Amino acid sequence: MEETKISMYQLYKDMLTSYLANKSEHALYHAQQFSKEMMEKDMSPEETVSLHLSVFQELAEDLPEEVVDSFDILLEVMIGYGLAYREHQSLRDRQQQLESELTVAARMQKSLLPHGEISLDSVDLGVISVPAGKMSGDYYDYALDEHGNIGVAVADVIGKGVPAAMSMSMIKYAMDTLPEQRTQPGALLENLNRVVERNIDSDMFITMMYGFYDPNNHYFHYASAGHEPGFVYDAVKDEFRNLEAKGLVLGVSPKVRYFPDQLHLDAGDFIVLLSDGVTECRVDGEFIEREQLVDMIRKYKHLTAQEIVDEIFQELEKAQEFQLRDDFTLLILRRKV
Amino acid sequence: MQVQTHVDIHSEWGIVAARQAGRKLAREIGFGSVDQARITTAISELARNIYLYANKGQIQIEEVTSSGKRGVKIIAVDEGPGIKDLRRVMEDGFTTSGGLGAGLPGVKRLMDDFNIDSELDAGTSITAIKWLR
């Protein structure tokens, strides 16, 4: 420490001497570089002021008393700046720590979502889910049962960030305890509703759409808990219809009934499920219209389901200058044969 | 005989008097100008806390010695409302965000040793020491 002080003193003295002699920009540049070194060595603003004065006193003999005294005021003021600087450093460290905790949590959260590809002759499945921040309040799931039924779900916790992410993991765990209801969309949502109602604050709620496709009779059965309507694409007519079902959002009331609906899918028809982060994308300051989204899907419909959702995400992300305001989830399930 | 000063804090005059006493002692012990300014800033903050939150209290300033080292010890005592959540007031950014100055974390940084005791409705006692290197 003492050694550093002595060498800093010498460096500062050389720098000041050179500047006083020729007032060169070079010496000023040197001082700028030197300031980085001082910060690295944890030198506070008040120490710098004091260093300046002592070097100056040595270089310019017989400094007027007023000049020397005036440094008392500067020193006093700089103590405050020094404290603010140190506080800033400690807050920055804490922020880094929080960031890395969040990164770990986000990784854990990701592991709750399905990863493996489902490659089947019967259906083509694609999904993308991107959080606005590090953690997501969106949930999606897809799973294949022993009869070949493919269940798909998208849920959206109202809110963002960590609280939303914690609620999202609750949906995941609750889903895992209800395997036998995967082919009963109404009963599944009724059970989830009970879990959510019991376990989250009354000011939070969750919307969800769940459905499954039965490849034996080509019916898609589904139910919705106040969720953003999806779409059904009719390949023969080249038409999109809304996919919706009545039902209260999860978590509002303990006893809610959900009435499932069903529709027949022909080869090439597909189902689109989404979170409101998709329809709340803004292009040129305006929410995109559902028709615009339909146009985009139509534009890419010749691609595979995964390619469609990827392309749409990229297009919307770019249109919003890479700033997502809400978690974004888009899932497509297409009947192949 | 070691120097010991008591200053009652019930106005801003008291704060200035405590600073003066602290600076005088720090200079006598041999602290440089930077450390003198740090010690007086710490005294200021502690005295202001008394003035703002407890209305009345005392700052004691004394010389301490320990294993050959010399230092300045500041004791701030009040009989104010006490501090409910010590951990929060010692957190960076908690008091300072309200524009209250360096706050207790600042005092802790300015000094070498720091200790705080507080009891609700009874008062607070803070001890801080700066050692001469």
Side-chain angles (χ1 to χ4, degrees), chain A residues 76 79 83, chain B residues 19 36-45 110:
Chain A
E76 197 70 32
I79 296 266
L83 280 174
Chain B
R19 286 177 56 103
Q36 283 176 36
R38 283 177 178 150
I39 291 164
T40 46
T41 300
I43 293 171
S44 265
E45 289 295 321
L110 290 165

Side-chain angles (χ1 to χ4, degrees), chain A residues 231 288-296 298:
Chain A
F231 299 100
I288 59 160
E289 302 285 333
R290 284 173 64 89
E291 291 81 64
Q292 282 174 274
L293 185 60
V294 161
D295 291 341
M296 291 170 76
R298 182 175 270 124

